[in-house]
Structures are given as C-alpha cells and as structure tokens.
C-alpha cells in the first residue's frame, strides 16, 4: 500500500534568516562550503528539502553531520525520494529484483548498500537482503529513525516546502508521499499557487533549453521556486541556498557553492545571441569529427552542430551521449571572478552567477 503524505505545520519567526537547501546527495564538502559562504550560525533557520543521501558514498557522513547540526540549531528536514530508497528497501516496498538492480547499478553510492556493507552484510544476492535489512536496523537505529521521522511537506500560510512538487494546496494528506517526492519536471506541469511552493529534485538546468544555469529558478507569477543546482550529479553542478524574504512580498536571494577553482577575467566578452544547452535526457549525439580536446558533434534532438569536450562523450546502450554541454559564450567583463570548470588550449568552460559558458579571453589566477 502506498504511503500517504505527512504534512507538518511550520512556524517561521519574522526576525530570523531562513535558508533552504536541497539535493545534497552526500556531498558534505559542498554543504560545509556553502554554510561557510552564507555565514551560517545558530541564529539561522535551515530547511533541508531532502535527497541528503544517494548518488555518492558520502551520504551517511552527510546525514550524521546534519543530525549533529540539528541537535544545537533549528533545522527542519523533508524526506526526498533518495531517502525513500533506503526506507522502501527496509519495508520491503520494492521487489527484490528491482532492489538488486538498483543496488548493483549504484554500488556503495546507494545508501542502503553502503550501510549494509558497513554492518558486515553483503548485498550482491537478493537472498542476503533480509539479513541486510536486519543488520541496517540493528547497526543504524538512530539514523533510520531520523529518516522515518522526516515529513513529506512543511506548511505555513506563506510557504509550502516539498521535495518534488504537489498538484494543489489543499487535501495534501490525500496525496501519496512518493508522488510528492519524485515529481519530475514539476515546473512544466502548469501549476500555480497562492503560497510559494519551494521544491528541489529536478536540476534547474534541465528547464533551460538554450543557456545552462544552475541558479535557483523563481517562477514569480506562479509562486514556485525550484532550487536543485545539480550538486554531485553535474560536472558544473552547485549546491544552492535560497534565502527567504524578510517580509511578505520581499525579494528572494541566494548563495551557491560549486567547489571549483576561480580565476579573474582580463578581457571582455559579449554573450551569444543563440545557443543550445544539451542536458540529461536530451543528450544523444552523432560524432562528426573526434579531436583530442574537442569533438565536432551533431545534437540529434535539435540538429545543432557544435564542439563538445571529448572527455564528456560516452556510450550508453549503444547511443553516443555527452555530459551537459553547450556552445554558449558567457557574458564577461574584465575583473569578473569566474569558476573554472575546464581549461583547454584556446578557451575555458566557466561559470558566473550559476550560468555556464565558454570564455575565450585571458584568465589570471
């Protein structure tokens, strides 16, 4: 039987800063770097929208860090679909065959596989799964209880916080928890709300067909804020912190941490008037000419011919694909501080204000 959404009321005092983060995916250095960058203190309220776990081996360390943080600070947590991976495994909600396939694909980047191995139990054979469940429950009782206590939705008069998204603002308890957590492509479903609905789950760059951006996406007229910056999933991903307005009707602000080296731009560059953002799910290519640094490719969805970093190319089930790629030339002014994603002989792939693009000018470190 599907688990129903759990809705918890939330009180946010008007005199405290509220920071919202999501989709950390076990990247503890990014979380610590972001909290340092925002000047996080016990005066702040931190809301974590879920997906602390999965996609990296640092999930358990990140969970422990946040559990410790919450003992002395005001921190609220929501369950994401990646927490549900472990909880579904523990409650036998997946067929063993599906659990085995997922566990074998992700290995120790899957939290329940990692926890079982830490408890000394194998996970390669579904016959071991009951022993793995028992070992996880016995070895990590506090962690499992912490995950189970996370609600699906946090709600007050001004905000609705949920990992993936909701179709409405009323009768929330009638929704299934899974549908609220794994709600793909939420912004393109046409919803609009009275409250601000704050979500993660879907990396915001997936919403941008032309210019890649990992900055929080604010749909002002519809009252939706989507904040997943692709941390741990994208080569140029970042962890975002959305800062809620101090008063009703005020402006949102945000911080980001991407862990990349920085450099200072010495030359101006005008932005491209026309560009493409090749992103996950839309990244099939035909390689026209392979080079050492760059390969000339045709993007099959758009027909666009562009140069793609050769190291970004890979083959998936017989189809040539690439990591997120673009031909966008970033708008740059001399003196701008740029995050450097990759440097090659005649250009650099860089980021500014969450936007990724190519820079052909000089860089000073």
């Amino acid at each position: 039987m599907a688990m129903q959404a759990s809705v918890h009321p939330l009180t946010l005092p008007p005199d405290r800063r509220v920071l919202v983060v999501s989709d950390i995916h076990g990247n503890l250095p990014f979380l610590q770097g972001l909290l340092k960058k925002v000047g996080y203190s016990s005066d702040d309220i931190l809301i974590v929208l879920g997906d602390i776990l999965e996609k990296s081996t640092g999930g358990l360390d990140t969970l422990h860090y946040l559990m410790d943080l919450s003992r002395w600070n005001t921190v609220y947590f929501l369950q994401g679909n990646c927490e549900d991976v472990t909880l579904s495994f523990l409650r036998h909600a997946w067929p063993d065959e599906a659990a085995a396939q997922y566990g074998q694909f992700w290995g120790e980047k899957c939290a329940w596989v990692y926890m079982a191995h830490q408890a000394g139990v194998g996970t390669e054979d579904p016959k071991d799964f009951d022993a793995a469940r028992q070992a996880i429950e016995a070895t990590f009782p506090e962690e499992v209880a912490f995950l189970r206590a996370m609600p699906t939705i946090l709600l007050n008069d001004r905000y609705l916080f949920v990992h993936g998204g909701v179709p409405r603002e009323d009768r929330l308890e009638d929704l299934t928890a899974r549908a609220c957590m794994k709600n793909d492509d939420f912004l393109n479903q046409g919803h609009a709300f009275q409250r601000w609905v704050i979500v993660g789950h879907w990396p915001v760059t997936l919403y941008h067909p032309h210019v890649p951006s990992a900055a929080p996406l604010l749909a002002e007229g519809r009252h939706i804020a989507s904040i997943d910056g692709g941390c741990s999933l994208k080569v140029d991903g970042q962890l975002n912190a959305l800062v809620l307005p101090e008063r009703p009707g005020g402006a949102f602000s945000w911080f980001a941490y991407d862990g990349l080296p920085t450099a200072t731009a010495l030359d101006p560059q005008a932005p491209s008037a026309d560009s493409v953002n090749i992103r996950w799910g839309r990244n099939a290519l035909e390689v026209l000419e392979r080079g050492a640094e760059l390969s000339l490719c045709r993007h099959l969805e758009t027909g666009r011919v562009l140069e793609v970093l050769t190291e970004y190319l890979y083959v998936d089930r017989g189809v040539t694909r690439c990591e997120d790629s673009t031909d966008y030339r970033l708008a740059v002014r001399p003196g701008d501080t740029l995050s450097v994603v990759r440097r090659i002989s005649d250009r650099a792939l860089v980021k500014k204000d969450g936007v990724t693009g190519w820079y052909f000018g000089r860089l000073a470190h």
Side-chain angles (χ1 to χ4, degrees):
M1 183 176 177
M3 302 282 289
Q4 298 304 110
S6 57
V7 184
H8 286 197
L10 177 67
T11 300
L12 297 176
D15 58 344
R16 298 178 66 185
R17 185 172 64 158
V18 181
L19 307 167
V20 190
V21 302
S22 188
D23 298 87
I24 304 165
H25 289 299
N27 198 328
L28 182 54
F30 271 43
L31 176 61
Q32 292 172 325
L34 178 64
L35 294 180
K36 181 179 180 181
K37 187 171 183 178
V38 305
Y40 174 76
S41 76
S42 59
D43 294 332
D44 296 318
I45 295 172
L46 178 64
I47 300 175
V48 182
L49 293 186
D51 280 12
I52 298 166
L53 305 176
E54 299 296 311
K55 314 296 172 66
S56 79
T57 57
L60 196 59
D61 288 341
T62 306
L63 180 63
H64 287 155
Y65 178 85
L66 286 168
M67 289 171 66
D68 288 341
L69 200 68
S70 68
R71 291 185 175 99
W72 313 108
N73 299 272
T74 306
V75 188
Y76 296 99
F77 297 91
L78 288 177
Q79 196 177 115
N81 58 293
C82 286
E83 282 69 53
D84 187 56
V85 167
T86 292
L87 297 178
S88 290
F89 174 75
L90 292 176
R91 67 174 183 267
H92 298 259
W94 285 10
D96 281 352
E97 295 78 9
Q101 185 177 19
Y102 183 92
Q104 288 165 8
F105 180 83
W106 286 106
E108 289 199 342
K109 292 183 178 181
C110 167
W112 64 260
V113 170
Y114 183 83
M115 293 164 79
H117 290 175
Q118 291 293 302
V121 178
T123 57
E124 288 67 36
D125 189 335
K127 294 178 181 178
D128 297 329
F129 284 179
D130 281 341
R133 292 181 182 103
Q134 294 171 14
I136 291 169
E137 297 274 13
T139 307
F140 302 102
E142 186 179 0
E143 293 85 349
V144 171
F146 192 85
L147 295 176
R148 286 182 172 137
M150 293 176 177
T152 314
I153 294 168
L154 292 168
L155 185 71
N156 68 15
D157 290 342
R158 293 172 57 193
Y159 297 103
L160 188 158
F161 300 94
V162 62
H163 180 69
V166 291
R168 57 179 186 264
E169 294 176 74
D170 62 339
R171 308 187 323 277
L172 295 169
E173 293 85 353
D174 294 340
L175 300 172
T176 64
R178 177 72 174 174
C180 296
M181 293 184 289
K182 187 167 172 53
N183 193 329
D184 296 351
D185 202 20
F186 177 60
L187 271 177
N188 287 327
Q189 295 172 18
H191 303 300
F193 302 93
Q194 294 299 311
R195 296 176 179 86
W196 271 95
V197 175
I198 317 294
V199 303
H201 180 62
W202 196 248
V204 292
T205 191
L206 300 180
Y207 291 119
H208 298 292
H210 303 295
V211 177
S213 174
L217 203 163
L218 301 175
E220 296 275 356
R222 298 162 58 199
H223 280 185
I224 301 173
S226 186
I227 69 169
D228 179 2
C231 175
S232 294
L233 301 179
K234 308 288 183 182
V235 176
D236 56 348
Q238 62 192 41
L239 185 61
N240 293 321
L242 185 71
V243 185
L244 301 190
E246 294 181 6
R247 60 188 63 85
F252 290 91
S253 60
W254 59 278
F255 296 86
Y257 182 84
D258 61 19
L260 294 167
T262 60
T264 302
L266 300 179
D267 303 305
Q269 179 174 277
S272 300
D274 177 41
S275 58
V276 65
N277 176 25
I278 301 176
R279 59 250 194 250
W280 175 83
R282 299 170 175 267
N283 57 355
L285 301 173
E286 176 190 1
V287 178
L288 304 176
E289 184 179 340
R290 184 178 292 266
E293 293 182 320
L294 295 166
S295 293
L296 192 66
C297 300
R298 178 179 289 109
H299 181 218
L300 297 186
E301 181 179 287
T302 62
R304 182 98 171 196
V305 175
L306 72 161
E307 292 177 310
V308 172
L309 282 164
T310 300
E311 66 172 291
Y312 279 18
L313 299 175
Y314 65 94
V315 177
D316 176 30
R317 288 169 288 188
V319 178
T320 299
R321 300 183 182 274
C322 65
E323 303 291 344
D324 288 10
S325 298
T326 188
D327 55 0
Y328 178 63
R329 293 191 180 210
L330 194 66
V332 177
R333 295 172 299 181
D336 281 347
T337 298
L338 306 175
S339 293
V340 181
V341 183
R342 291 289 188 274
R343 289 193 73 167
I344 57 175
S345 55
D346 66 341
R347 71 194 77 170
L349 189 65
V350 298
K351 287 177 63 188
K352 185 179 77 168
D353 298 329
V355 177
T356 297
W358 290 102
Y359 177 59
F360 287 79
R362 295 169 299 159
L363 291 169
H365 291 280

